[in-house]
Amino acid sequence: MMKFYLFNQPLKTRRYAGDNVPENFTKSIPYDIKITKLSFIIINNLSDNNVYIGKIYNVRKPTTYDKVISVRNVVRIKINLDVVLKATQGKHVDEILKSTEPISLEHFEKIRDAILEANIETINKSYFNFERLNYDEYKDIFPQFIDSFNVAFNLFGFDPKDIPPLTEEQILDFDIDTMFPDKVSRTPNGIHFFYNNGKILYLHKVHNTLIERCLGVDLIYNFIDEHRMIFIQYKCTDENKKFYISSDSHFRDIQMDKMKSIPEVNECYNFKAESREDLRICKCPVFIKLCHREIKEQRTAPYGFYYSICIWNYIYYAAKTFITLDDTPRLSNEQFLKLVKDGLIGSTSTQSKIIESYLIEKAEDKRLKLIFTEIKDKETPSNQPKETNANRDFFS
């Protein structure tokens, strides 16, 4: 069961994004303080008189005398602590506000709803979900988990090393299912619906469709209310984390040209870069995601990085033989998704309309039209997008 803790402390740390509390931090607390991971902590920062909320991802016991909590996704919130605590904690308010160590709060849902109501523009319900676990946060769990699988395979006469590596499409499907928490629905033709900050987001899986043949990409993020799109092509390395330039002639000779032909992409200044040091984040809405086919080192997700098409183009032709997962500059999964969610990556409204016209003209098929109309209907259930002719016809 998820819990809230309150932490009254004058936290004096490095400045982060204009606030006094970093987005991720660790904190030592006395050994006898009871606190559970996968919970939330409200930080009443006495240094700047602001209130923050963070997620407690891990609780470790490095010594006999203390614990260390790992807090992530810290954001500043607007909340009247006195009012909320009096409404939810009753006569214990004074004791709670005097505590200098994390103290457990009652009525999780009421506190969560009060935070959501007061921070509509900055926090939504998805914040209160926990992202997929990773090895660093749960070192004590994964060795047992993996060992159990190995024992099960051995009992049936299989060597765990014989498990086939992941395909590009498997990694693509995994990303679609885990990138955004508020999944609403999906259609048989590859359209996945999500809510993102209260608005509809489509993820179009276009692998092996007419759109991939036109644009050379596998996945399209379509933020329809913003007229913003992001295009992704998935590529995988071999067991040595290498992607050989000569191993995929279709990609080199056809898909790359198609991606660079998307309107306004070839105008990017990175295509004229003379050295790696000249490469910068730009407005290109097209990305290559380079992934490893195997989930190694007790990870729970495929290991990969994003490269904008212009940066990839430089690295690709400079490499001559192969590219590795260590080639930079690149964006991690976390960096990429944050920039996407913050609206800093993707096509502009004008560019999106040009791309739409380009796609229809290139494919000579009106059914491929990307309709930029936010779906709103009072008669439609709040958790289901309304079906439109565009939805039914897309890719059909």
Side-chain angles (χ1 to χ4, degrees), residues 13-131:
T13 62
R14 62 180 176 83
R15 294 186 66 79
Y16 180 90
D19 294 333
N20 285 328
V21 177
E23 185 180 24
N24 305 316
F25 69 89
T26 58
K27 181 71 177 175
S28 176
I29 61 175
Y31 178 83
D32 57 350
I33 297 293
K34 293 182 178 180
I35 194 165
T36 60
K37 58 189 176 186
L38 301 186
S39 292
F40 300 86
I41 189 161
I42 297 173
I43 305 160
N44 184 22
N45 189 7
L46 305 180
S47 291
D48 60 8
N49 295 319
N50 287 319
V51 179
Y52 302 80
I53 185 174
K55 300 180 180 183
I56 303 172
Y57 267 90
N58 199 13
V59 180
R60 295 181 289 113
K61 301 174 183 177
T63 73
T64 307
Y65 305 103
D66 64 2
K67 294 178 182 176
V68 172
I69 58 174
S70 297
V71 181
R72 297 192 169 202
N73 307 128
V74 177
V75 294
R76 187 167 64 180
I77 58 174
K78 300 174 184 176
I79 189 171
N80 189 321
L81 272 181
D82 288 338
V83 172
V84 172
L85 291 177
K86 286 177 182 177
T88 58
Q89 309 305 309
K91 61 183 180 181
H92 301 293
V93 174
D94 290 340
E95 175 188 346
I96 291 170
L97 289 174
K98 289 178 182 177
S99 175
T100 57
E101 301 297 347
I103 188 167
S104 177
L105 302 179
E106 298 177 353
H107 304 295
F108 174 85
E109 291 186 357
K110 290 182 179 179
I111 298 174
R112 180 199 62 192
D113 292 345
I115 292 173
L116 288 171
E117 184 177 352
N119 298 271
I120 295 176
E121 296 181 357
T122 55
I123 294 182
N124 57 37
K125 258 190 174 179
S126 65
Y127 178 86
F128 294 94
N129 297 326
F130 276 85
E131 297 172 359

Side-chain angles (χ1 to χ4, degrees), residues 336-384:
F336 179 79
L337 278 179
K338 181 168 178 55
L339 290 170
V340 167
K341 292 176 181 179
D342 288 347
L344 295 175
I345 283 180
S347 59
T348 63
S349 177
T350 301
Q351 185 182 15
S352 296
K353 293 175 183 176
I354 297 172
I355 292 171
E356 178 183 329
S357 299
Y358 170 84
L359 180 58
I360 297 170
E361 179 183 348
K362 193 79 173 176
E364 297 180 350
D365 191 336
K366 295 290 184 182
R367 291 175 300 173
L368 297 181
K369 185 175 183 180
L370 299 177
I371 305 298
F372 293 105
T373 305
E374 186 171 4
I375 299 173
K376 289 183 178 178
D377 191 308
K378 292 182 180 179
E379 298 179 359
T380 302
S382 60
N383 66 337
Q384 292 291 330

Side-chain angles (χ1 to χ4, degrees), residues 25 136 192 279 307 315 348 367 392:
F25 69 89
D136 288 335
H192 299 253
L279 298 172
Y307 300 81
I315 295 174
T348 63
R367 291 175 300 173
R392 288 194 294 270

Side-chain angles (χ1 to χ4, degrees), residues 261-378:
S261 295
I262 293 175
E264 300 185 10
V265 168
N266 59 6
E267 299 174 13
C268 177
Y269 51 78
N270 281 327
F271 284 112
K272 300 177 182 178
E274 296 182 358
S275 69
R276 232 175 251 243
E277 288 70 27
D278 293 333
L279 298 172
R280 295 291 183 270
I281 290 180
C282 61
K283 66 175 185 178
C284 284
V286 185
F287 290 82
I288 312 295
K289 183 170 185 183
L290 185 62
C291 307
H292 194 32
R293 291 185 185 275
E294 297 178 355
I295 303 177
K296 290 187 173 182
E297 301 171 359
Q298 298 177 324
R299 296 177 181 273
T300 60
Y303 181 60
F305 295 94
Y306 290 86
Y307 300 81
S308 61
I309 182 64
C310 54
I311 289 177
W312 175 273
N313 186 76
Y314 181 93
I315 295 174
Y316 189 87
Y317 289 109
K320 297 182 179 178
T321 306
F322 57 80
I323 295 174
T324 76
L325 288 168
D326 296 323
D327 273 305
T328 58
R330 67 200 180 179
L331 293 172
S332 67
N333 287 321
E334 294 76 14
Q335 291 168 331
F336 179 79
L337 278 179
K338 181 168 178 55
L339 290 170
V340 167
K341 292 176 181 179
D342 288 347
L344 295 175
I345 283 180
S347 59
T348 63
S349 177
T350 301
Q351 185 182 15
S352 296
K353 293 175 183 176
I354 297 172
I355 292 171
E356 178 183 329
S357 299
Y358 170 84
L359 180 58
I360 297 170
E361 179 183 348
K362 193 79 173 176
E364 297 180 350
D365 191 336
K366 295 290 184 182
R367 291 175 300 173
L368 297 181
K369 185 175 183 180
L370 299 177
I371 305 298
F372 293 105
T373 305
E374 186 171 4
I375 299 173
K376 289 183 178 178
D377 191 308
K378 292 182 180 179

